[in-house]
mmCIF file of all heavy atoms in Angstrom:
data_model
loop_
_atom_site.group_PDB
_atom_site.id
_atom_site.type_symbol
_atom_site.label_atom_id
_atom_site.label_comp_id
_atom_site.label_asym_id
_atom_site.label_seq_id
_atom_site.Cartn_x
_atom_site.Cartn_y
_atom_site.Cartn_z
ATOM 1 N N HIS A 1 6.501 -13.106 2.828
ATOM 2 C CA HIS A 1 5.707 -12.392 3.823
ATOM 3 C C HIS A 1 5.605 -13.296 5.051
ATOM 4 O O HIS A 1 5.050 -14.390 4.980
ATOM 5 C CB HIS A 1 4.313 -12.085 3.272
ATOM 6 C CG HIS A 1 4.338 -11.195 2.066
ATOM 7 N ND1 HIS A 1 3.201 -10.818 1.391
ATOM 8 C CD2 HIS A 1 5.373 -10.590 1.426
ATOM 9 C CE1 HIS A 1 3.524 -10.025 0.388
ATOM 10 N NE2 HIS A 1 4.844 -9.890 0.387
ATOM 11 N N ARG A 2 6.152 -12.818 6.153
ATOM 12 C CA ARG A 2 6.296 -13.676 7.333
ATOM 13 C C ARG A 2 4.955 -14.134 7.890
ATOM 14 O O ARG A 2 4.841 -15.222 8.451
ATOM 15 C CB ARG A 2 7.087 -12.928 8.405
ATOM 16 C CG ARG A 2 7.325 -13.730 9.675
ATOM 17 C CD ARG A 2 8.344 -13.071 10.571
ATOM 18 N NE ARG A 2 9.668 -13.057 9.954
ATOM 19 C CZ ARG A 2 10.769 -12.621 10.563
ATOM 20 N NH1 ARG A 2 10.708 -12.155 11.794
ATOM 21 N NH2 ARG A 2 11.923 -12.626 9.937
ATOM 22 N N TYR A 3 3.915 -13.307 7.753
ATOM 23 C CA TYR A 3 2.624 -13.622 8.367
ATOM 24 C C TYR A 3 1.543 -13.864 7.311
ATOM 25 O O TYR A 3 0.362 -13.589 7.544
ATOM 26 C CB TYR A 3 2.203 -12.494 9.307
ATOM 27 C CG TYR A 3 3.229 -12.200 10.376
ATOM 28 C CD1 TYR A 3 4.180 -11.198 10.189
ATOM 29 C CD2 TYR A 3 3.281 -12.935 11.557
ATOM 30 C CE1 TYR A 3 5.136 -10.917 11.158
ATOM 31 C CE2 TYR A 3 4.225 -12.664 12.533
ATOM 32 C CZ TYR A 3 5.152 -11.658 12.328
ATOM 33 O OH TYR A 3 6.108 -11.391 13.292
ATOM 34 N N GLY A 4 1.942 -14.377 6.173
ATOM 35 C CA GLY A 4 0.978 -14.672 5.130
ATOM 36 C C GLY A 4 0.888 -13.564 4.098
ATOM 37 O O GLY A 4 1.397 -12.454 4.297
ATOM 38 N N PRO A 5 0.274 -13.847 2.950
ATOM 39 C CA PRO A 5 0.294 -12.915 1.820
ATOM 40 C C PRO A 5 -0.421 -11.605 2.134
ATOM 41 O O PRO A 5 -1.535 -11.589 2.660
ATOM 42 C CB PRO A 5 -0.435 -13.686 0.717
ATOM 43 C CG PRO A 5 -1.295 -14.670 1.444
ATOM 44 C CD PRO A 5 -0.518 -15.063 2.655
ATOM 45 N N HIS A 6 0.235 -10.517 1.790
ATOM 46 C CA HIS A 6 -0.344 -9.185 1.922
ATOM 47 C C HIS A 6 -0.381 -8.557 0.524
ATOM 48 O O HIS A 6 0.654 -8.185 -0.024
ATOM 49 C CB HIS A 6 0.453 -8.336 2.905
ATOM 50 C CG HIS A 6 0.134 -8.660 4.332
ATOM 51 N ND1 HIS A 6 0.504 -9.849 4.928
ATOM 52 C CD2 HIS A 6 -0.553 -7.962 5.266
ATOM 53 C CE1 HIS A 6 0.049 -9.860 6.173
ATOM 54 N NE2 HIS A 6 -0.590 -8.728 6.395
ATOM 55 N N ILE A 7 -1.565 -8.479 -0.030
ATOM 56 C CA ILE A 7 -1.766 -8.017 -1.398
ATOM 57 C C ILE A 7 -2.312 -6.595 -1.336
ATOM 58 O O ILE A 7 -3.403 -6.371 -0.795
ATOM 59 C CB ILE A 7 -2.765 -8.916 -2.152
ATOM 60 C CG1 ILE A 7 -2.499 -10.408 -1.877
ATOM 61 C CG2 ILE A 7 -2.754 -8.594 -3.625
ATOM 62 C CD1 ILE A 7 -1.148 -10.882 -2.280
ATOM 63 N N PHE A 8 -1.561 -5.654 -1.868
ATOM 64 C CA PHE A 8 -2.023 -4.273 -1.758
ATOM 65 C C PHE A 8 -2.916 -3.897 -2.930
ATOM 66 O O PHE A 8 -2.553 -4.056 -4.094
ATOM 67 C CB PHE A 8 -0.856 -3.281 -1.691
ATOM 68 C CG PHE A 8 -1.334 -1.886 -1.400
ATOM 69 C CD1 PHE A 8 -1.594 -1.498 -0.104
ATOM 70 C CD2 PHE A 8 -1.596 -1.002 -2.431
ATOM 71 C CE1 PHE A 8 -2.103 -0.237 0.175
ATOM 72 C CE2 PHE A 8 -2.107 0.262 -2.169
ATOM 73 C CZ PHE A 8 -2.348 0.644 -0.861
ATOM 74 N N HIS A 9 -4.091 -3.355 -2.596
ATOM 75 C CA HIS A 9 -4.988 -2.773 -3.584
ATOM 76 C C HIS A 9 -5.854 -1.749 -2.858
ATOM 77 O O HIS A 9 -6.113 -1.865 -1.662
ATOM 78 C CB HIS A 9 -5.860 -3.841 -4.258
ATOM 79 C CG HIS A 9 -6.655 -4.675 -3.300
ATOM 80 N ND1 HIS A 9 -7.899 -4.307 -2.839
ATOM 81 C CD2 HIS A 9 -6.369 -5.851 -2.710
ATOM 82 C CE1 HIS A 9 -8.353 -5.233 -2.011
ATOM 83 N NE2 HIS A 9 -7.445 -6.185 -1.897
ATOM 84 N N THR A 10 -6.266 -0.734 -3.575
ATOM 85 C CA THR A 10 -7.116 0.286 -2.965
ATOM 86 C C THR A 10 -7.894 1.030 -4.032
ATOM 87 O O THR A 10 -7.463 1.131 -5.178
ATOM 88 C CB THR A 10 -6.280 1.278 -2.126
ATOM 89 O OG1 THR A 10 -7.168 2.163 -1.424
ATOM 90 C CG2 THR A 10 -5.351 2.112 -3.014
ATOM 91 N N ARG A 11 -9.023 1.554 -3.632
ATOM 92 C CA ARG A 11 -9.781 2.456 -4.508
ATOM 93 C C ARG A 11 -9.679 3.894 -4.013
ATOM 94 O O ARG A 11 -10.359 4.778 -4.541
ATOM 95 C CB ARG A 11 -11.248 2.026 -4.567
ATOM 96 C CG ARG A 11 -11.991 2.103 -3.239
ATOM 97 C CD ARG A 11 -13.390 1.552 -3.349
ATOM 98 N NE ARG A 11 -13.381 0.163 -3.719
ATOM 99 C CZ ARG A 11 -14.457 -0.555 -3.968
ATOM 100 N NH1 ARG A 11 -15.650 0.009 -3.906
ATOM 101 N NH2 ARG A 11 -14.377 -1.828 -4.290
ATOM 102 N N ALA A 12 -8.840 4.127 -3.001
ATOM 103 C CA ALA A 12 -8.717 5.447 -2.388
ATOM 104 C C ALA A 12 -7.475 6.162 -2.905
ATOM 105 O O ALA A 12 -6.352 5.820 -2.515
ATOM 106 C CB ALA A 12 -8.649 5.309 -0.869
ATOM 107 N N PRO A 13 -7.632 7.165 -3.771
ATOM 108 C CA PRO A 13 -6.458 7.887 -4.280
ATOM 109 C C PRO A 13 -5.601 8.499 -3.181
ATOM 110 O O PRO A 13 -4.378 8.558 -3.309
ATOM 111 C CB PRO A 13 -7.069 8.972 -5.178
ATOM 112 C CG PRO A 13 -8.399 8.432 -5.583
ATOM 113 C CD PRO A 13 -8.877 7.650 -4.397
ATOM 114 N N VAL A 14 -6.232 8.954 -2.085
ATOM 115 C CA VAL A 14 -5.457 9.578 -1.015
ATOM 116 C C VAL A 14 -4.505 8.589 -0.379
ATOM 117 O O VAL A 14 -3.362 8.930 -0.036
ATOM 118 C CB VAL A 14 -6.389 10.217 0.044
ATOM 119 C CG1 VAL A 14 -7.235 9.158 0.754
ATOM 120 C CG2 VAL A 14 -5.591 11.029 1.061
ATOM 121 N N VAL A 15 -4.926 7.330 -0.231
ATOM 122 C CA VAL A 15 -4.053 6.296 0.336
ATOM 123 C C VAL A 15 -2.923 5.977 -0.639
ATOM 124 O O VAL A 15 -1.759 5.854 -0.250
ATOM 125 C CB VAL A 15 -4.876 5.033 0.671
ATOM 126 C CG1 VAL A 15 -3.959 3.865 1.028
ATOM 127 C CG2 VAL A 15 -5.844 5.322 1.810
ATOM 128 N N TRP A 16 -3.271 5.857 -1.910
ATOM 129 C CA TRP A 16 -2.266 5.549 -2.938
ATOM 130 C C TRP A 16 -1.203 6.646 -3.005
ATOM 131 O O TRP A 16 -0.008 6.374 -3.018
ATOM 132 C CB TRP A 16 -2.958 5.382 -4.283
ATOM 133 C CG TRP A 16 -2.021 5.112 -5.423
ATOM 134 C CD1 TRP A 16 -1.595 6.006 -6.358
ATOM 135 C CD2 TRP A 16 -1.393 3.869 -5.743
ATOM 136 N NE1 TRP A 16 -0.742 5.402 -7.253
ATOM 137 C CE2 TRP A 16 -0.610 4.089 -6.896
ATOM 138 C CE3 TRP A 16 -1.435 2.603 -5.171
ATOM 139 C CZ2 TRP A 16 0.135 3.074 -7.477
ATOM 140 C CZ3 TRP A 16 -0.693 1.592 -5.756
ATOM 141 C CH2 TRP A 16 0.077 1.835 -6.894
ATOM 142 N N ARG A 17 -1.654 7.903 -3.034
ATOM 143 C CA ARG A 17 -0.708 9.018 -3.122
ATOM 144 C C ARG A 17 0.181 9.084 -1.881
ATOM 145 O O ARG A 17 1.384 9.342 -1.986
ATOM 146 C CB ARG A 17 -1.465 10.339 -3.296
ATOM 147 C CG ARG A 17 -2.094 10.523 -4.668
ATOM 148 C CD ARG A 17 -2.504 11.966 -4.878
ATOM 149 N NE ARG A 17 -3.492 12.405 -3.891
ATOM 150 C CZ ARG A 17 -4.806 12.328 -4.072
ATOM 151 N NH1 ARG A 17 -5.297 11.821 -5.193
ATOM 152 N NH2 ARG A 17 -5.635 12.760 -3.138
ATOM 153 N N TYR A 18 -0.419 8.843 -0.738
ATOM 154 C CA TYR A 18 0.367 8.909 0.499
ATOM 155 C C TYR A 18 1.473 7.856 0.502
ATOM 156 O O TYR A 18 2.656 8.170 0.709
ATOM 157 C CB TYR A 18 -0.537 8.733 1.722
ATOM 158 C CG TYR A 18 0.255 8.641 3.001
ATOM 159 C CD1 TYR A 18 0.823 9.787 3.570
ATOM 160 C CD2 TYR A 18 0.476 7.422 3.627
ATOM 161 C CE1 TYR A 18 1.587 9.712 4.721
ATOM 162 C CE2 TYR A 18 1.236 7.337 4.780
ATOM 163 C CZ TYR A 18 1.785 8.483 5.323
ATOM 164 O OH TYR A 18 2.554 8.395 6.457
ATOM 165 N N LEU A 19 1.136 6.603 0.264
ATOM 166 C CA LEU A 19 2.140 5.540 0.320
ATOM 167 C C LEU A 19 3.157 5.659 -0.812
ATOM 168 O O LEU A 19 4.306 5.223 -0.666
ATOM 169 C CB LEU A 19 1.459 4.174 0.275
ATOM 170 C CG LEU A 19 0.680 3.774 1.530
ATOM 171 C CD1 LEU A 19 0.055 2.395 1.344
ATOM 172 C CD2 LEU A 19 1.563 3.792 2.774
ATOM 173 N N SER A 20 2.763 6.264 -1.921
ATOM 174 C CA SER A 20 3.688 6.417 -3.048
ATOM 175 C C SER A 20 4.853 7.348 -2.722
ATOM 176 O O SER A 20 5.848 7.373 -3.458
ATOM 177 C CB SER A 20 2.932 6.930 -4.282
ATOM 178 O OG SER A 20 2.003 5.960 -4.737
ATOM 179 N N GLN A 21 4.753 8.090 -1.627
ATOM 180 C CA GLN A 21 5.894 8.890 -1.175
ATOM 181 C C GLN A 21 7.018 8.014 -0.626
ATOM 182 O O GLN A 21 8.168 8.456 -0.534
ATOM 183 C CB GLN A 21 5.461 9.855 -0.069
ATOM 184 C CG GLN A 21 4.393 10.849 -0.439
ATOM 185 C CD GLN A 21 3.947 11.642 0.766
ATOM 186 O OE1 GLN A 21 4.617 12.592 1.184
ATOM 187 N NE2 GLN A 21 2.828 11.238 1.352
ATOM 188 N N PHE A 22 6.688 6.769 -0.273
ATOM 189 C CA PHE A 22 7.629 5.922 0.446
ATOM 190 C C PHE A 22 7.995 4.645 -0.309
ATOM 191 O O PHE A 22 8.767 3.826 0.196
ATOM 192 C CB PHE A 22 7.055 5.563 1.825
ATOM 193 C CG PHE A 22 6.614 6.771 2.595
ATOM 194 C CD1 PHE A 22 5.276 7.136 2.643
ATOM 195 C CD2 PHE A 22 7.552 7.575 3.241
ATOM 196 C CE1 PHE A 22 4.872 8.265 3.342
ATOM 197 C CE2 PHE A 22 7.153 8.706 3.932
ATOM 198 C CZ PHE A 22 5.815 9.054 3.983
ATOM 199 N N THR A 23 7.431 4.468 -1.479
ATOM 200 C CA THR A 23 7.775 3.284 -2.257
ATOM 201 C C THR A 23 7.483 3.527 -3.730
ATOM 202 O O THR A 23 6.604 4.324 -4.072
ATOM 203 C CB THR A 23 6.977 2.047 -1.792
ATOM 204 O OG1 THR A 23 7.436 0.881 -2.488
ATOM 205 C CG2 THR A 23 5.487 2.208 -2.043
ATOM 206 N N GLU A 24 8.235 2.855 -4.580
ATOM 207 C CA GLU A 24 7.811 2.675 -5.960
ATOM 208 C C GLU A 24 7.041 1.364 -6.018
ATOM 209 O O GLU A 24 7.122 0.531 -5.108
ATOM 210 C CB GLU A 24 9.026 2.664 -6.885
ATOM 211 C CG GLU A 24 9.750 4.004 -6.933
ATOM 212 C CD GLU A 24 10.905 4.010 -7.920
ATOM 213 O OE1 GLU A 24 10.987 3.076 -8.738
ATOM 214 O OE2 GLU A 24 11.720 4.951 -7.853
#
């Protein structure tokens, strides 16, 4: 990660579902 660690976590199902369209 060029600008330091980016750790993905969320409690928002809408965010999870949205991004899951673009990545496994």
Side-chain angles (χ1 to χ4, degrees):
H1 298 178
R2 181 168 294 185
Y3 304 94
H6 281 70
I7 317 300
F8 187 82
H9 56 87
T10 187
R11 63 185 62 184
V14 64
V15 170
W16 178 258
R17 288 195 299 268
Y18 174 76
L19 289 180
S20 294
Q21 300 174 80
F22 308 100
T23 186
E24 294 184 13

